[in-house]
Amino acid sequence: PLYYQNLRRWSSFASAALLLPIIGIQIIVSALAGRIMTKREHYGGVIRSGSIFLFVGSCLEIIFDRSTSPVAIIFILLLVGIGIGAANQPMVVAMQAKTKKSERAVVTSCRNFARFFGAACGLGVSSAVLQSSLKSGLSLQDQELASSAYSLASLGFEDRAIIDPVYAKAMRYVFITNAAVGTVCLLCSFAWRDHGYNSRPKDRDEERGESKSQSTTMMEGVRSGANEEPVAERVIVAQPDSIPEPASSKTSEKVLL
């Protein structure tokens, strides 16, 4: 917003409207990332892809100046939004996949704390870089303008013509700082391994439950085998309908007659 309002002299409504691309694409990409992770049962590729988009978008923000086209600004913001959507929310899934089920609440709260703490530190560092750059580039009479980010709106056209180049240079230093942080995030995303959802360590209760379920299935198998009656093998002997008399008995009967 400071770039839009102070350097480009756009209204607050226009600066708020230009924030919609980064927020809208972030929501869409987060939903798609969840579907992809559910289908593949892995999260590493999604997070690394998001880190790459975030790095590229942060590096392209360095070209922002007083004449950058709004179309280019929206395109670069879309890249940043894709990176945030693919790396921010899936990181929660990655952290939960590395911990036990009983520790999920603790891990989620620690992640949220680290996220907001990093945002606060980033805001403080960006403000410090902006003010120090303005003070180093402005004259002694104009250094008071660096004390407030919105003090440039009360200046005239001649004063703005002198201060705008210094302010553009200070904003570029802020974008360079963001690109450096994006580089660190990209390198850190390749530092850990993705073992999938099934690599989560199990609690003692879960291990006991699995052992009990295995023992019960084994006992049921033994009982079902004991209840079955043994089937004896039957040998079927073919018996003829009439047994022929031997020929010797017939001849003896004739002799007696």
Side-chain angles (χ1 to χ4, degrees):
L2 294 179
Y3 168 76
Y4 301 145
Q5 297 180 23
N6 291 341
L7 188 60
R8 301 302 300 270
R9 303 179 187 178
W10 291 341
S11 63
S12 58
F13 180 79
S15 62
L18 287 174
L19 292 177
L20 292 178
I22 190 173
I23 298 174
I25 196 66
Q26 180 180 348
I27 297 172
I28 297 172
V29 172
S30 297
L32 294 177
R35 295 297 298 271
I36 293 172
M37 290 188 298
T38 303
K39 185 177 181 180
R40 295 186 177 181
E41 296 184 355
H42 287 277
Y43 47 83
V46 176
I47 296 176
R48 292 187 181 98
S49 300
S51 300
I52 293 173
F53 276 99
L54 184 60
F55 168 73
V56 174
S58 300
C59 291
L60 291 177
E61 284 181 346
I62 300 175
I63 66 174
F64 285 175
D65 55 9
R66 292 179 293 173
S67 61
T68 306
S69 173
V71 178
I73 293 174
I74 293 174
F75 176 75
I76 294 172
L77 291 179
L78 288 176
L79 293 178
V80 176
I82 292 172
I84 296 174
N88 189 9
Q89 296 298 330
M91 188 62 67
V92 181
V93 180
M95 295 177 67
Q96 291 180 353
K98 294 287 186 179
T99 56
K100 298 180 181 179
K101 188 175 181 180
S102 60
E103 298 175 352
R104 286 182 178 179
V106 179
V107 170
T108 304
S109 61
C110 290
R111 178 257 177 191
N112 292 331
F113 173 77
R115 176 187 176 185
F116 293 118
F117 180 77
C121 292
L123 182 60
V125 171
S126 299
S127 300
V129 171
L130 181 63
Q131 291 182 5
S132 62
S133 301
L134 288 175
K135 289 181 179 179
S136 61
L138 294 174
S139 61
L140 296 175
Q141 298 177 355
D142 298 331
Q143 284 186 359
E144 296 180 357
L145 298 174
S147 59
S148 178
Y150 297 97
S151 59
L152 300 179
S154 59
L155 297 178
F157 181 78
E158 296 179 356
D159 296 333
R160 292 295 299 265
I162 298 173
I163 296 175
D164 281 349
V166 180
Y167 198 87
K169 186 177 181 181
M171 291 297 298
R172 179 169 296 179
Y173 287 152
V174 174
F175 293 143
I176 290 173
T177 305
N178 294 336
V181 176
T183 305
V184 175
C185 294
L186 178 62
L187 296 177
C188 291
S189 65
F190 289 93
W192 47 267
R193 297 180 180 179
D194 177 16
H195 299 287
Y197 293 154
N198 297 325
S199 63
R200 180 179 61 83
K202 299 179 181 179
D203 296 331
R204 294 181 180 179
D205 297 336
E206 293 180 351
E207 294 177 355
R208 291 175 183 176
E210 290 182 356
S211 62
K212 287 182 181 179
S213 62
Q214 292 177 0
S215 62
T216 52
T217 51
M218 293 176 63
M219 291 298 295
E220 289 178 357
V222 172
R223 290 176 182 176
S224 62
N227 292 330
E228 293 180 355
E229 296 180 356
V231 180
E233 295 182 356
R234 298 179 181 178
V235 180
I236 300 175
V237 180
Q239 295 182 358
D241 296 337
S242 61
I243 300 175
E245 296 180 357
S248 60
S249 61
K250 293 181 179 181
T251 54
S252 62
E253 290 178 356
K254 291 179 180 180
V255 172
L256 289 174
L257 293 173

